[in-house]
Amino acid sequence: MPDVIVNAAAYTNVEKAELEQDLAFAVNSHALVNICEEIDNFNREYSRDLPLIHFSTDYVFNGDGNEPNRPLDKINPINIYGRSKAEGEKIILSSDVSYLILRTSWVVSRYGNNFVKTILKKIETNSEISVVNDQYGAPTSAEFIADFLCELLQLESIESKKGLYHICAEGETTWYELADFILKTFIKIRGVPEKALLPINPISASTFKTSAKRPRNSRLCCKSLKKTFPFKQTHWKTQIAEIIKFLLE
Ligand SMILES: NC(=O)c1ccc[n+]([C@@H]2O[C@H](COP(=O)([O-])OP(=O)(O)OC[C@H]3O[C@@H](n4cnc5c(N)ncnc54)[C@H](OP(=O)(O)O)[C@@H]3O)[C@@H](O)[C@H]2O)c1
């Protein structure tokens, strides 16, 4: 008998979503109709109030402004992935399910393919690296989110804390500054002379030709999460340094 349903499944290829709109909407929004229906049926049959923890994204916002997006700020996605995730949120919000929607951003990890691993590989081969320096957010480790989720699952009656929350690391940066931090950490751990490696080039997002528009401001405000749950936010540098150390040592 389940105590909680966690939905981390999603269609996450932002570029491909522009071409595979039906699939993106099927996975990121229509699936939520089925999930909410199943939870409703379960609740009726067993007189329960099964909570749904659902992961969403800063891509539901349009990325304007310079302040961290708050959970109840107006959403206005600028690409198909964002629109499909926003639609999924709306389905949950209009259901009878006790939901916790956790929006996050810029997730990286010691596992799978992600920005940290890509940059490390390029540094190791001393390739030329150009990275966007005009999009802002907080790189957040999947382990940090998983640890929070574990703590959340230990709590009594999370269904009473129903709501929309943001979860990300403390601080903010750009993709370029993150890449530069990865380079500096690599140099420190490996003891390589700085001059032996090519520096990273900062570039503007406008020089990149992509099918999907990307939000410029991915900052997320985590105040309501901190107020509601025992949540210790750590800085993005701490989280990223841990991943790099794990991968290099
Ligand atoms: N990564 C980020 O930077 C980021 C940022 C903000 C929010 N998020 C949100 O965080 C959540 C997890 O993202 P992630 O980065 O872990 O994505 P991911 O690595 O692409 O993982 C998505 C998972 O969903 C599964 N999946 C896809 N379609 C499915 C389907 N039709 N039925 C069942 N499972 C399906 C995939 O399974 P297979 O491996 O078998 O295909 C995969 O395990 C998503 O809700 C995403 O929107 C991620």
Side-chain angles (χ1 to χ4, degrees):
M1 180 92 59
D3 291 318
V4 62
I5 303 294
V6 178
N7 180 36
Y11 181 106
T12 56
N13 190 322
V14 177
E15 282 302 292
K16 259 172 100 180
E18 298 295 315
L19 304 169
E20 296 185 332
Q21 303 197 6
D22 288 351
L23 186 56
F25 274 91
V27 180
N28 293 344
S29 47
H30 305 318
L32 271 315
V33 173
N34 300 335
I35 292 173
C36 291
E37 242 174 56
E38 286 301 323
I39 295 177
D40 260 347
N41 292 340
F42 176 88
N43 286 344
R44 256 195 301 276
E45 191 172 342
Y46 296 99
S47 304
R48 292 275 303 275
D49 184 11
L50 196 63
L52 168 66
I53 300 178
H54 172 78
F55 283 94
S56 193
T57 168
D58 65 282
Y59 273 55
V60 298
F61 297 111
N62 65 9
D64 285 351
N66 297 310
E67 292 299 313
N69 293 292
R70 292 165 304 182
L72 298 180
D73 284 348
K74 190 175 177 295
I75 62 171
N76 183 19
I78 55 173
N79 58 37
I80 297 296
Y81 168 69
R83 276 174 50 202
S84 66
K85 291 292 290 184
E87 215 37 54
E89 287 188 358
K90 279 185 200 158
I91 290 165
I92 298 172
L93 294 174
S94 63
S95 76
D96 291 329
V97 169
S98 291
Y99 58 82
L100 272 85
I101 297 177
L102 301 176
R103 292 192 192 122
T104 187
S105 64
W106 293 24
V107 181
V108 289
S109 161
R110 55 179 73 172
Y111 306 109
N113 291 323
N114 57 66
F115 184 84
V116 176
K117 283 191 169 180
T118 306
I119 297 294
L120 272 180
K121 272 187 209 146
K122 285 182 180 268
I123 292 170
E124 277 174 328
T125 52
N126 203 15
S127 312
E128 195 166 312
I129 310 173
S130 298
V131 185
V132 168
N133 197 27
D134 48 8
Q135 288 169 350
Y136 302 84
T140 301
S141 89
E143 289 78 8
F144 167 75
I145 298 172
D147 285 348
F148 171 72
L149 192 58
C150 281
E151 282 185 29
L152 197 61
L153 296 177
Q154 316 286 325
L155 298 176
E156 295 285 318
S157 63
I158 52 171
E159 58 277 11
S160 65
K161 313 257 196 281
K162 172 174 173 167
L164 252 170
Y165 300 97
H166 289 173
I167 176 165
C168 66
E170 199 179 312
E172 62 176 66
T173 188
T174 67
W175 291 110
Y176 161 74
E177 285 173 5
L178 169 58
D180 195 50
F181 177 76
I182 297 169
L183 176 68
K184 300 234 158 77
T185 311
F186 177 91
I187 286 170
K188 210 159 112 192
I189 292 178
R190 284 280 161 89
V192 183
E194 198 166 341
K195 282 189 183 143
L197 293 171
L198 290 171
I200 293 171
N201 311 311
I203 56 165
S204 163
S206 61
T207 58
F208 254 133
K209 261 226 158 316
T210 54
S211 315
K213 279 193 194 167
R214 310 275 170 153
R216 194 185 55 80
N217 176 17
S218 286
R219 298 172 181 95
L220 292 174
C221 171
C222 302
K223 274 187 191 157
S224 64
L225 193 79
K226 284 187 204 164
K227 246 169 101 177
T228 316
F229 300 101
F231 168 63
K232 198 177 168 301
Q233 201 181 20
T234 52
H235 199 275
W236 69 263
K237 285 188 179 175
T238 312
Q239 296 185 20
I240 301 302
E242 264 175 32
I243 297 174
I244 301 171
K245 267 189 210 141
F246 175 86
L247 293 171
L248 294 183
E249 285 177 0

